[in-house]
Amino acid sequence: MEMLDEEHNPLPQPSGDTNVYNLGSINGHNVVIAGLPRAGNCSAATVMTQMRMTFPNLKYGLLVGIGGGVPKKTEYGMICLGHVVVSAPTGIHSGALQYDHGKAKTGRFERKGCLAPPPTALLNAAREMAVRRQRMDHDPIWENAKRVDSGRRNLRHFKFPGTDNDNLFASDYEHRRLGESCENGGCDLKQRINRPIEEDENSFVVVHRGTIASGELVIKDAKKRDDLAEEHGVLCFEMEAAGVLADFPCMVIRGISDYCDSHKNDVWHGYAAAVAAAYARQLFFQMSIEEQGHANRTPTSFELPFNLSGISEVTQFIARDIELNTIQDILDGTAGRRTAILQGLGGIGKTQLAIAYIKRHRTEYSAMIWLNARDETTIKQSFTHMAEWILRHHPAAAHIEGALESRDLDQILKAVIRWLDEPRNDRWLLVYDNYDNPLLNKHTGKDSKDVSSIEVGVDNDEGKNLAKAFDLRSFLPEADHGAIIVTTRSSAVKLGQIVHLGKLEDIKDGLTVLKPVSGRAGLEKGECFCI
């Protein structure tokens, strides 16, 4: 999760899906993260099956975690703790095999465990990453790993343990005392095999590519490790790939946390997990433009046609040029959120002024959306209509579609807010009309902790609309972009700059308003008699 560029709100999922998902994006690619409840191929297969049911448009999988390394030499040097092994086709092997699957014949075991190779797009990305890293004076994978090496107390176990804690012994040298470290358990540290020390050990992550073996066994037998590695050319052992690769295109990425021997311990688990995740993050920066387009289902355009249906509009609006110019001054600009509060008595023309503004400036916004904020239920229904309108014009907005299918108004609200919060979707205008019953803290900041004093704004009658009072801030996007207009009768609304609407002062404007309802021709010219 520390590798995500941004985190997204959760989406509804079927009742039969017991996975817990974390959603986000890396370099514009939408990412779904799910952990396993326990180790093993069966657990991995169950998680993947449920994930694909909930997210049917998943394209590729990255199986990221820790594994046991084989201390052998590759073109990148000796495999050591803290290195990364990535599945890749080599010779007759596809990149991963299930070493405990096959036929038990007389006197021997015939393995039948080759698994599907990683998809071409990921193989190309891995190759490109290797080439680019050779040409750089810094390591992007190491930089990614530092995202979890921040000094935070809860993340300390992800730090590099140091080469002094990399204990590799000969295959026939057994660990002396179960449950104790080599230092405390009586192992002769002089028997350790010298680990090759790289000059840039603390600023470079070594990556090996080749065959990874998957099975249900936790291997703590160095001789068995070496026999299987010799037979199949294996670089690493793990316990989940066979449950996933049979039915979904995946690449396996493992940080080496032990040597699959009796000296195995948990000291390197955190760091090995961190460098594996760091490698996975960097893959997203090497995907081709075409593949990135497929992987990212977020709409590249956020244009929406404006829809005035359901909004009562007068046939002849007397333009309040001063107020219109004031609104423009407030909302003009591209930096940060801009909010204008149109405040005035009922019937004074707040709604019609907002309509006049959006008609005059409609070409300046990518989307202009009208919401009825009369009460909490009504505004949620407005957000539902808005979600349907978004999906109609942007069918690739999968999170909107999923929320609508759930029929949960709160989930729909969150999905629309997420759409508005998208960094590239920064040219919208929202109109919250009829917010006449505010329920606000006296401190109007969103993060105010003073909840002991509540200010309620209601109509000037007898407070009979108190039951409809609600806090509009729960329905505002969180991102610091876009423009907002709020129309209200209440002076308690202080969420932006106030534009106070008073009575019309020009008698000609008043007569023009009166004319269509009086039915008298020439009224604005004074050609009538009072009877």
Side-chain angles (χ1 to χ4, degrees), residues 445-460:
K446 253 189 173 184
D447 297 328
S448 171
K449 296 181 180 180
D450 181 10
V451 295
S452 60
S453 180
I454 300 296
E455 181 176 348
V456 179
V458 297
D459 290 345
N460 292 329

Side-chain angles (χ1 to χ4, degrees), residues 289-442:
I289 294 176
E290 179 182 0
E291 291 301 333
Q292 181 170 333
H294 283 300
N296 183 0
R297 301 187 70 237
T298 302
T300 56
S301 169
F302 295 92
E303 299 286 336
L304 278 181
F306 181 61
N307 184 8
L308 271 176
S309 62
I311 303 172
S312 299
E313 181 183 8
V314 297
T315 56
Q316 185 177 10
F317 176 69
I318 305 303
R320 295 171 174 259
D321 289 331
I322 295 177
E323 289 87 349
L324 285 172
N325 291 334
T326 302
I327 297 172
Q328 182 178 2
D329 290 340
I330 294 172
L331 301 185
D332 194 21
T334 58
R337 168 80 60 76
R338 292 90 62 199
T339 304
I341 310 297
L342 310 188
Q343 190 272 327
L345 298 175
I348 206 72
K350 302 181 295 296
T351 297
Q352 302 307 319
L353 181 62
I355 293 174
Y357 177 83
I358 61 180
K359 282 188 170 183
R360 181 176 294 189
H361 298 276
R362 64 193 314 160
T363 59
E364 301 173 15
Y365 298 95
S366 59
M368 307 176 82
I369 299 163
W370 198 278
L371 300 162
N372 190 340
R374 183 181 61 196
D375 53 51
E376 201 162 1
T377 300
T378 304
I379 195 172
K380 287 183 178 181
Q381 292 171 345
S382 290
F383 269 97
T384 299
H385 296 319
M386 178 177 169
E388 293 169 347
W389 190 248
I390 293 171
L391 190 62
R392 177 176 175 181
H393 295 279
H394 297 286
H399 68 289
I400 298 285
E401 182 179 13
L404 285 170
E405 290 178 352
S406 74
R407 298 184 180 181
D408 185 322
L409 295 182
D410 291 325
Q411 292 295 333
I412 294 171
L413 168 65
K414 291 179 181 179
V416 173
I417 293 296
R418 172 183 161 187
W419 186 81
L420 294 166
D421 283 340
E422 288 283 351
R424 291 170 294 166
N425 187 12
D426 59 356
R427 292 178 47 245
W428 45 256
L429 169 65
L430 298 182
V431 178
Y432 294 84
D433 193 24
N434 299 321
Y435 184 48
D436 298 328
N437 303 293
L439 180 65
L440 302 170
N441 292 344
K442 285 188 175 180

